Amino acid sequence: MAVRISSLLLASALIAASAGAQPAQVQRGPAPPWVTPSPPIAMPETLSGPLFVRRQDLQIHLGDRGLAQYVGYRIKILHSNTLQVGNLSIAWNPTAGAPIVHEIRVLREGQATDVLKNASFEILRREDQLEAARLDGTLTAVLRVPDLRVGDELEVALTTFGNDPALGRNESGLLLLTSAPAPGRYRLGLSWDQGQQPNIKMTPDMTATMVKGERRIDFRFDNPGALSPPKDAPMRYQWQRVVEYSDFRDWAAVSRHFAPLYSKAATLAPASPVKIEAKRIAAAHARPIDRAAAALRLVQQDVRYIYVGLNGGNLIPASADESWQRRYGDCKGKTALLLALLAELGIDAEPVLVNSGGNDDGLDQRLPIPQLFDHVLVRARIDGATYWLDGTLPPVAPPSARPVFPFNWVLPLTARGSTIEKLAWQPPTAPDDLSLLEIDARAGFDAPARIISTKIVRGLEGLQQHEQFSAVTPAQLLEVFRQRAIGDLWQAIDDVTWRYDQTSGASILTITGTGMVNWDDDGNGARSFALPGGGFNPPERRVRGPGQDKDAPFYAKPEYDCSVTTVRLPSATQPRQWSSKPGFDTRMFGRNYYRAWELRDGAIRMVRGSRVEQPEISAAAAQRDNARIAAFDNSMGWIFYDPTGQEPGVGSGESVPATYDFDWTASDVPCASGVKPDAR
């Protein structure tokens, strides 16, 4: 699924209609009757900036033939950097109808020139995202306005059309004014034919500017200021200057509307080869979860990902048989194929719409607009438990109890109609990013140390590393790191190994070599060393500027990272001669800052973790923590050697495993307070 953003200085999120018809020419014609262009505004005598907007109109009309969008503007060019506005481009979907250009003029010293008298649009068949595996059939018309100069005014007016067969007579979308528009006059409009009025919802700042007419609403702005949403607030607080419209009554109606599309696409022909694949999986695996994993792996591995928006495919899934026959598909086609396989295996499953970009905060406050979702995957119930299956992920991503993407809201597609569901969030027990560093300095302070560095990465980044590292040979990987990493920590790299551990869902990269430890000489034989990754920068104050909502909560993106360092101490030293900076266990702004030490078996062990435990905190809680920043311990992870043994020791009685005596791919690593290692 995709949302088309049509943007000049205004933006409107609209339905992306599909392509497939023969290329059509750009037409010329008058503006439609529902358009009433705004009069231009006078330019101030003193104005700095790249351009001035005499007028900018964006109007949406809903009628029996679908959706039409009018864009008209008149811009005065004040700087050479703005001459690029003369590179005009119109993108459209042929099945919805060719665009109509009403006028393109250049005004100079009171004289108007009709650009289309001596220039014309060039029609392109554009697949500009082939590198991202996307086929959408979009056509593009381009025109470069000749002889455009600083001081000219460019006037453009055109209408494009949208008609998505997946939505039928249901239209929905957004009208919005950008956050920092150039000075000038702007107008947003929404109109409809008799009996076509949609449900409408708008932010309070739009309500104040609304002008209501017969079967239309308009919003007018002269020199609108820049938006200033509350700093560090959740994304729902950035929802400003937006008008929503939808023909769907509620989210259950959206669910009922799309469910039959997937039910039909997942229905197999009597002699379908997909049924043979399902029988092969059933014969090879006895447990339902193993069968589901095999079906998912088949879809991930044997059907490559290509987004298909042709012939209504922007929202309509290709059939399971079609996706299997051509061995490619997008999230919709892969989901339909996976649903078909699971049905043959007797596993209960349903398609679920999600927003993969993490932009669904506050979705429960929106009108039911299906384009607010951009991805679909499968949710299955197996042996009383819920599993998420995503056919677009690499074949090392099995069915999981939690989705890989950070969803807040999901919409199951069911025949009876389901509403959106909130996914409860919990702090992860395993770090997303875990760095292990073992420094073997037993040979002495001035001798090269044996170093082993291991990076354990989970989630999307771990899957991205799988895609990157699985495509190269071990020899190539070794050579790359030898070229790029030697020089700071490393003097020599002897080996680089990588693997993806499906059990823990982690990419594991290990580098082995030698390097010099940067011991500081503290005089009289004393030494000190700051362990990499051992400290924290103080957190930033949570404050907001004038005019911002000071009562809005503060947000921190959920994350969990951990650094574990083990230093095997020079053999000539004694444990009593070593000390360290203190450990700490602090919670501020919803985050746990944790560091612990232990000296055991001739090695100093340190673990340092940072985990967000509350993504949102109240403004009052933030104010209390602001007052605590001055006392925050931001000391680096220093260890100290004193031949006299006069300093306190290492740690405060904590038990800290070394990098080499604990399974750091486990889900209960001791990187945060309250998380203790098992005896292993």
Side-chain angles (χ1 to χ4, degrees), residues 541-593:
R541 290 177 57 83
R542 272 45 169 187
V543 295
R544 295 191 172 120
Q548 295 187 350
D549 184 355
K550 289 182 170 50
D551 294 326
F554 285 85
Y555 173 80
K557 181 180 178 180
E559 59 184 6
Y560 184 9
D561 66 81
C562 180
S563 295
V564 182
T565 304
T566 298
V567 181
R568 293 178 183 263
L569 303 174
S571 299
T573 65
Q574 301 296 320
R576 64 179 179 81
Q577 297 171 320
W578 289 92
S579 61
S580 70
K581 281 289 187 178
F584 47 76
D585 183 357
T586 303
R587 285 175 172 81
M588 294 182 67
F589 303 111
R591 182 187 294 266
N592 176 219
Y593 299 89

Side-chain angles (χ1 to χ4, degrees), residues 447-484:
R450 187 73 172 168
I451 300 174
I452 301 176
S453 172
T454 300
K455 191 82 166 176
I456 301 174
V457 181
R458 288 178 167 83
L460 287 176
E461 186 177 345
L463 292 172
Q464 290 168 353
Q465 286 192 1
H466 171 271
E467 293 293 277
Q468 178 185 5
F469 294 148
S470 63
V472 299
T473 66
Q476 290 172 326
L477 195 63
L478 175 59
E479 184 61 27
V480 167
F481 277 90
R482 279 177 170 170
Q483 291 180 6
R484 297 182 180 179

Side-chain angles (χ1 to χ4, degrees), residues 403-470:
V404 174
F405 290 95
F407 308 136
N408 290 305
W409 296 90
V410 302
L411 178 64
L413 303 181
T414 61
R416 68 181 183 279
S418 299
T419 190
I420 55 173
E421 298 178 10
K422 175 76 171 178
L423 295 189
W425 182 86
Q426 294 179 342
T429 58
D432 309 303
D433 191 316
L434 195 157
S435 299
L436 305 174
L437 185 64
E438 177 187 341
I439 301 174
D440 188 347
R442 286 178 291 185
F445 290 110
D446 300 319
R450 187 73 172 168
I451 300 174
I452 301 176
S453 172
T454 300
K455 191 82 166 176
I456 301 174
V457 181
R458 288 178 167 83
L460 287 176
E461 186 177 345
L463 292 172
Q464 290 168 353
Q465 286 192 1
H466 171 271
E467 293 293 277
Q468 178 185 5
F469 294 148
S470 63

Side-chain angles (χ1 to χ4, degrees), residues 8-290:
L8 289 166
L9 300 175
L10 300 169
S12 172
L14 304 174
I15 297 167
S18 59
Q22 294 298 315
Q25 297 297 316
V26 174
Q27 303 175 24
R28 292 204 66 177
W34 44 267
V35 171
T36 54
S38 300
I41 187 175
M43 190 178 75
E45 293 184 3
T46 59
L47 180 68
S48 61
L51 57 84
F52 179 75
V53 180
R54 295 282 195 187
R55 66 174 180 86
Q56 168 94 57
D57 292 285
L58 189 140
Q59 301 182 38
I60 302 296
H61 184 75
L62 310 178
D64 292 335
R65 298 180 60 184
L67 178 148
Q69 172 183 273
Y70 168 85
V71 174
Y73 58 89
R74 180 173 165 181
I75 298 172
K76 186 172 181 65
I77 299 170
L78 303 176
H79 193 279
S80 59
N81 290 344
T82 318
L83 290 171
Q84 63 184 352
V85 300
N87 300 329
L88 305 180
S89 175
I90 310 172
W92 79 98
N93 298 292
T95 54
I100 300 175
V101 176
H102 313 306
E103 63 179 2
I104 302 177
R105 300 193 306 165
V106 172
L107 295 91
R108 180 183 302 153
E109 297 178 353
Q111 299 295 318
T113 301
D114 185 352
V115 173
L116 292 177
K117 280 189 175 182
N118 299 306
S120 61
F121 280 94
E122 178 184 0
I123 310 299
L124 308 176
R125 172 61 182 259
R126 184 184 69 170
E127 296 295 353
D128 63 343
Q129 300 189 67
L130 285 176
E131 72 283 354
R134 294 177 63 87
L135 296 170
D136 59 14
T138 299
L139 295 184
T140 303
V142 296
L143 185 151
R144 299 164 186 83
V145 177
D147 192 29
L148 192 63
R149 309 175 191 176
V150 174
D152 289 349
E153 295 189 22
L154 178 64
E155 191 167 31
V156 175
L158 59 94
T159 299
T160 56
F161 303 93
N163 185 9
D164 196 311
L167 294 174
R169 295 176 62 86
N170 297 295
E171 300 290 353
S172 59
L174 307 174
L175 281 170
L176 56 97
L177 182 65
T178 54
S179 59
R185 171 167 290 174
Y186 298 87
R187 177 183 176 185
L188 294 168
L190 176 66
S191 61
W192 52 88
D193 287 344
Q194 185 72 37
Q196 301 290 322
Q197 181 174 353
N199 299 310
I200 299 172
K201 185 176 182 179
M202 65 193 74
T203 51
D205 48 14
M206 298 299 283
T207 303
T209 65
M210 182 179 66
V211 177
K212 192 170 184 179
E214 184 179 2
R215 296 199 302 274
R216 70 177 302 122
I217 52 175
D218 289 284
F219 307 87
R220 298 168 184 173
F221 303 86
D222 283 350
N223 300 313
L227 294 178
S228 182
K231 181 183 177 184
D232 297 328
M235 184 167 290
R236 62 185 180 275
Y237 285 87
Q238 300 180 29
W239 196 258
Q240 296 176 284
R241 288 204 298 229
V242 180
V243 178
E244 309 165 45
Y245 61 92
S246 177
D247 287 330
F248 291 100
R249 184 179 64 182
D250 50 29
W251 286 112
V254 176
S255 175
R256 284 191 299 270
H257 183 88
F258 282 96
L261 300 179
Y262 285 87
S263 178
K264 179 181 177 181
T267 301
L268 300 173
S272 169
V274 177
K275 293 187 175 184
I276 299 175
E277 295 296 326
K279 290 179 180 178
R280 179 182 60 79
I281 291 172
H285 304 278
R287 297 195 310 158
I289 184 60
D290 295 332

Side-chain angles (χ1 to χ4, degrees), residues 339-372:
L339 289 169
L341 285 165
L342 295 175
E344 290 293 312
L345 295 168
I347 296 174
D348 182 27
E350 62 191 3
V352 180
L353 298 182
V354 298
N355 186 297
S356 63
N359 300 318
D360 56 352
D361 180 49
L363 192 65
D364 56 324
Q365 302 171 26
R366 309 278 82 84
L367 286 182
I369 300 175
Q371 298 92 329
L372 295 176

Side-chain angles (χ1 to χ4, degrees), residues 492-643:
I493 293 177
D494 301 326
D495 191 27
V496 177
T497 62
W498 172 83
R499 65 186 176 92
Y500 191 90
D501 185 75
Q502 287 190 260
T503 302
S504 59
S507 168
I508 305 170
L509 177 71
T510 300
I511 306 173
T512 304
T514 56
M516 291 299 297
V517 180
N518 187 25
W519 296 100
D520 285 353
D521 188 345
D522 297 335
N524 298 321
R527 301 291 186 104
S528 59
F529 175 53
L531 273 58
F536 292 102
N537 292 321
E540 294 183 357
R541 290 177 57 83
R542 272 45 169 187
V543 295
R544 295 191 172 120
Q548 295 187 350
D549 184 355
K550 289 182 170 50
D551 294 326
F554 285 85
Y555 173 80
K557 181 180 178 180
E559 59 184 6
Y560 184 9
D561 66 81
C562 180
S563 295
V564 182
T565 304
T566 298
V567 181
R568 293 178 183 263
L569 303 174
S571 299
T573 65
Q574 301 296 320
R576 64 179 179 81
Q577 297 171 320
W578 289 92
S579 61
S580 70
K581 281 289 187 178
F584 47 76
D585 183 357
T586 303
R587 285 175 172 81
M588 294 182 67
F589 303 111
R591 182 187 294 266
N592 176 219
Y593 299 89
Y594 179 75
R595 184 171 70 195
W597 301 89
E598 184 184 13
L599 194 163
R600 176 162 42 99
D601 299 331
I604 289 180
R605 303 115 178 274
M606 182 209 71
V607 59
R608 195 278 296 162
S610 171
R611 181 173 69 164
V612 172
E613 298 178 342
Q614 291 179 269
E616 293 187 21
I617 61 170
S618 68
Q623 187 173 2
R624 289 194 297 270
D625 283 343
N626 282 338
R628 300 172 57 211
I629 292 178
F632 183 83
D633 185 349
N634 66 334
S635 62
M636 298 176 64
W638 286 98
I639 58 174
F640 305 95
Y641 168 73
D642 181 359

